[in-house]
Amino acid sequence: MKLLTHNMLTSHVKGVTKGYPLIIKATEVKVNELEFNAQFVSRMIPKLEWNALIQAAEWLGRSQDLPSTLIPNYENDEEFLHKVHRILLEVEVIEGCLQCPESGREFPISKGVPNMLLIEDE
Amino acid sequence: MCKCLLVLYLQFYNEQEAKKYSQNSRMIEIQTQMSERAVELLSLPEDQPCYLLDVGCGSGLSGDYLSEAGHYWVGVDISTVWFLSEVLWFLCQLELITAQAMKAGFTGGMVVDFSNSSKAKKFFLCLFAGVSGVLPKGLGSESTDRGVSNQAQFTAQRSRFRNMKGKSVKKSKDWIMEKKERRRRQGKDVRADTKYTARHRKPRF
């Protein structure tokens, strides 16, 4: 699971109002190199929940490089875009779980795929 | 910009079949073609990698194509393996999705590729939101001069004579007329249409 995906995921447990962002508890993380595309990264940045991304990076112990708020004119900062590219698309959670911040329900991540399926009662 | 495209092409397999499905070269070929056509229908900006959501991605065969095309994508599926019951669930959702989409103000319609061939025919339900979507033309449209449309725009009209896929209800007059027309196109001998054509017969007939 890439952090780009995590940024879009929310808990949909019945009755939960604040199911975002899901807390990442990773037991296995891999870094898989992916071709850098500045255009894609700079177009995706405004669509992200930046705070959630910083938090996710913190949970994975990789928040050192990233600013807590977006810098203006980030589109032209190649170094910054590279850092975002890395954390967003190259860092992958292979094993672990995502925890709903309100209900505590855990969604397992297996082989890089989070299982968000709920049982009927939930 | 938000575009949504639903591809109506479903195959049902259990776990053993699913393995065969992924590895079968013909299936891979079909999936690749379908994905290619689906991306085409999305009319994405040229040479621009986009962020796509593949709902019902299965084992990721369609996703392979998306990656090849340079896009970033997220795949969602109810199961790692397709079970019959889950796909039936999906089919029920389809009608719901379309109804909801229309209520929510999506524009769009059905695009049919190769509408004349029962084997090659593929349905694409195209929904556009936030963009004025021009419905793309279906492939294999040489027969359009005969007035047979391979598109079906969403209308406010509710017709009793067409079901979800834009096909006529079987055995209705529409269906019979279409079948006769189809057979004529195939060069077969077909009775001329009269006032008795498709007239309802009593049971003992």
Side-chain angles (χ1 to χ4, degrees), chain A residues 4-5 8 34-37 39-40 43-44 85 89 117, chain B residues 1 45 47-51 70 72-74 77-79:
Chain A
L4 176 58
T5 309
M8 312 275 163
L34 191 70
E35 201 184 316
F36 173 71
N37 188 306
Q39 199 195 45
F40 181 78
R43 276 190 306 120
M44 282 309 293
H85 168 85
L89 299 167
L117 292 172
Chain B
M1 179 193 288
D47 295 328
Q48 208 180 81
C50 294
Y51 191 46
Y72 299 79
W73 60 280
V74 178
D77 208 303
I78 190 141
S79 171

Side-chain angles (χ1 to χ4, degrees), chain B residues 28-40:
Chain B
I28 293 171
E29 193 191 318
I30 292 174
Q31 274 291 313
T32 310
Q33 281 172 5
M34 294 289 286
S35 309
E36 189 177 343
R37 183 65 175 135
V39 173
E40 212 173 83

Side-chain angles (χ1 to χ4, degrees), chain A residues 85-104:
Chain A
H85 168 85
R86 189 167 184 82
I87 195 70
L88 212 51
L89 299 167
E90 293 188 333
V91 175
E92 289 192 59
V93 180
I94 306 298
E95 300 289 329
C97 72
L98 296 171
Q99 191 179 40
C100 170
E102 199 177 300
S103 69

Side-chain angles (χ1 to χ4, degrees), chain A residues 102-114:
Chain A
E102 199 177 300
S103 69
R105 209 279 200 190
E106 289 187 350
F107 299 94
I109 302 173
S110 173
K111 296 186 192 158
V113 180

Side-chain angles (χ1 to χ4, degrees), chain B residues 3-67:
Chain B
K3 282 188 190 175
C4 167
L5 183 72
L6 287 173
V7 176
L8 293 176
Y9 178 71
L10 303 164
Q11 292 277 344
F12 318 138
Y13 292 92
N14 61 23
E15 180 151 5
Q16 290 159 304
E17 294 292 336
K19 209 173 186 179
K20 266 197 259 169
Y21 179 93
S22 301
Q23 294 164 354
N24 183 294
S25 56
R26 171 103 183 103
M27 280 306 156
I28 293 171
E29 193 191 318
I30 292 174
Q31 274 291 313
T32 310
Q33 281 172 5
M34 294 289 286
S35 309
E36 189 177 343
R37 183 65 175 135
V39 173
E40 212 173 83
L41 290 171
L42 279 173
S43 347
L44 299 171
E46 260 184 52
D47 295 328
Q48 208 180 81
C50 294
Y51 191 46
L52 305 172
L53 177 66
D54 187 353
V55 180
C57 61
S59 52
L61 278 178
S62 46
D64 270 347
Y65 173 80
L66 299 178
S67 296

Side-chain angles (χ1 to χ4, degrees), chain B residues 50-98:
Chain B
C50 294
Y51 191 46
L52 305 172
L53 177 66
D54 187 353
V55 180
C57 61
S59 52
L61 278 178
S62 46
D64 270 347
Y65 173 80
L66 299 178
S67 296
E68 290 284 307
H71 297 298
Y72 299 79
W73 60 280
V74 178
V76 179
D77 208 303
I78 190 141
S79 171
T80 52
V81 169
W82 286 2
F83 289 103
L84 183 60
S85 56
E86 272 140 2
V87 184
L88 288 176
W89 165 90
F90 176 75
L91 285 174
C92 295
Q93 300 304 301
L94 218 46
E95 193 157 341
L96 184 67
I97 290 169
T98 324

